[in-house]
Amino acid sequence: DKIDCIIFGSKNFAPVLERIQEITDKFHTYFYYTITAYGKDIEPGVPDIDASIETFLRLSDIVGAQRIAWRYDPILLTEKYTIQRHFETFAYIANRLAGKFDRCIFSFVEMYKKHEINFPELISLTNEDKSKIAAGIGKIASEHGFILQTCGPEEDYEQFGIHTSGCVTLDILGNANGLKFRRLKHKGFRKGCHCIESRDIGALNSCPNGCKYCYANKTPQIARENYALHDSNSPLLIGHLKPTDRLEAGSQKSFLAKSDSEKGNA
């Protein structure tokens, strides 16, 4: 009774399409679908671009274009994935997804120490690179007539028609689902983040996709080992409760305006 909206984020929604309406029929929802320019050399466990596009279109038909955002991130450079290649791929995906999504969100890759070992071919992005990329994809977004916005603590690229906003805001969720929320400060989850606070359902070191830029997995091997511990009959995402575990109830509260809450929209 305290769930205003369930927010999904994935690089592959294909496994849940057949049953997703069991959730969308009961709850307000919003979906973030990541499709990038990269192949198996960087995203080994992710479907290829065309397969991802087909799944995206199917999901959009089920949940409605207003409830799905296309994420094109992180943007990174290697000798293979050049600025020009990003422009070409971004335009290709934008054309295929035309009219089937609410907005597009992008960010630039964050340079972590472990990338020096796990991702040595990664080329550091200069401010000039970032501005050139922002200008190019901003132009493509304008030509296709969709909202393009940054994620997190990126520079201000308003001059290229790019919005600066949180990825998950009450305005986005409200407009997508016809809801009215209270006017609340969006505290974010890290420096520069402008998202509304939410209750996470997930675990670090558990995704088997093996993306080379990933910050959430310490190593691909640890992620595979944890993934194998999943039990659909367990109340935990990974593993089982132990006698020594301590459970604490989270502080849940609705953000809906009183009028909507009284109508049973929570």
Side-chain angles (χ1 to χ4, degrees):
D1 65 340
K2 295 293 192 297
I3 299 175
D4 295 335
C5 186
I6 298 179
I7 303 155
F8 293 89
S10 180
K11 292 183 173 72
N12 181 15
F13 281 96
V16 302
L17 286 187
E18 298 304 318
R19 298 185 61 186
I20 195 63
Q21 285 180 287
E22 294 177 31
I23 295 176
T24 57
D25 286 349
K26 297 177 182 178
F27 299 99
H28 301 294
T29 54
Y30 198 86
F31 297 79
Y32 294 84
Y33 202 138
T34 301
I35 306 179
T36 66
Y38 316 121
K40 299 292 184 182
D41 53 333
I42 291 182
E43 297 177 340
V46 178
D48 64 40
I49 292 174
D50 288 315
S52 295
I53 289 172
E54 290 303 319
T55 300
F56 189 112
L57 295 175
R58 289 173 60 200
L59 178 64
S60 180
D61 287 341
I62 294 170
V63 306
Q66 78 277 12
R67 293 190 183 94
I68 182 169
W70 164 33
R71 293 196 67 111
Y72 188 83
D73 63 350
I75 296 176
L76 58 84
L77 296 180
T78 68
E79 289 187 6
K80 179 178 178 179
Y81 297 101
T82 62
I83 292 177
Q84 184 57 36
R85 181 158 181 173
H86 277 294
F87 291 161
E88 292 168 359
T89 309
F90 188 82
Y92 174 75
I93 300 172
N95 186 59
R96 292 285 307 277
L97 298 182
K100 292 293 187 175
F101 61 98
D102 175 44
R103 66 192 58 231
C104 179
I105 300 164
F106 78 96
S107 64
F108 295 108
V109 69
E110 292 192 39
M111 303 297 289
Y112 293 96
K113 189 71 176 177
K114 66 179 182 179
H115 286 154
E116 294 178 9
I117 299 172
N118 300 337
F119 203 170
E121 63 269 41
L122 191 62
I123 298 172
S124 294
L125 283 158
T126 66
N127 288 334
E128 184 180 353
D129 291 331
K130 292 180 179 180
S131 291
K132 185 175 181 180
I133 292 170
I137 63 176
K139 183 174 184 293
I140 294 168
S142 177
E143 291 170 350
H144 286 78
F146 61 82
I147 296 171
L148 179 63
Q149 68 175 73
T150 55
C151 167
E154 301 295 352
E155 297 294 327
D156 186 346
Y157 299 116
E158 187 177 0
Q159 60 181 312
F160 306 126
I162 296 171
H163 299 253
T164 300
S165 170
C167 306
V168 183
T169 68
L170 295 181
D171 282 344
I172 291 173
L173 302 181
N175 291 335
N177 291 281
L179 298 173
K180 289 186 178 179
F181 289 99
R182 290 181 281 129
R183 297 183 67 85
L184 298 171
K185 183 178 180 180
H186 291 48
K187 298 178 181 179
F189 296 96
R190 58 195 173 102
K191 185 178 180 181
C193 177
H194 305 290
C195 293
I196 191 67
E197 61 183 292
S198 59
R199 179 69 61 189
D200 225 4
I201 301 175
L204 298 177
N205 296 303
S206 63
C207 177
N209 282 334
C211 300
K212 294 185 74 171
Y213 52 75
C214 180
Y215 65 88
N217 289 339
K218 189 172 183 180
T219 68
Q221 179 61 28
I222 291 175
R224 287 192 294 268
E225 291 172 356
N226 284 334
Y227 184 79
L229 296 175
H230 174 70
D231 180 355
S232 59
N233 294 314
S234 170
L236 303 181
L237 182 64
I238 301 297
H240 299 82
L241 284 169
K242 301 182 182 71
T244 54
D245 287 335
R246 185 178 70 182
L247 298 181
E248 295 182 3
S251 176
Q252 293 292 112
K253 54 187 176 182
S254 173
F255 293 157
L256 288 172
K258 189 174 181 181
S259 59
D260 269 5
S261 183
E262 289 174 345
K263 292 176 184 176
N265 286 332

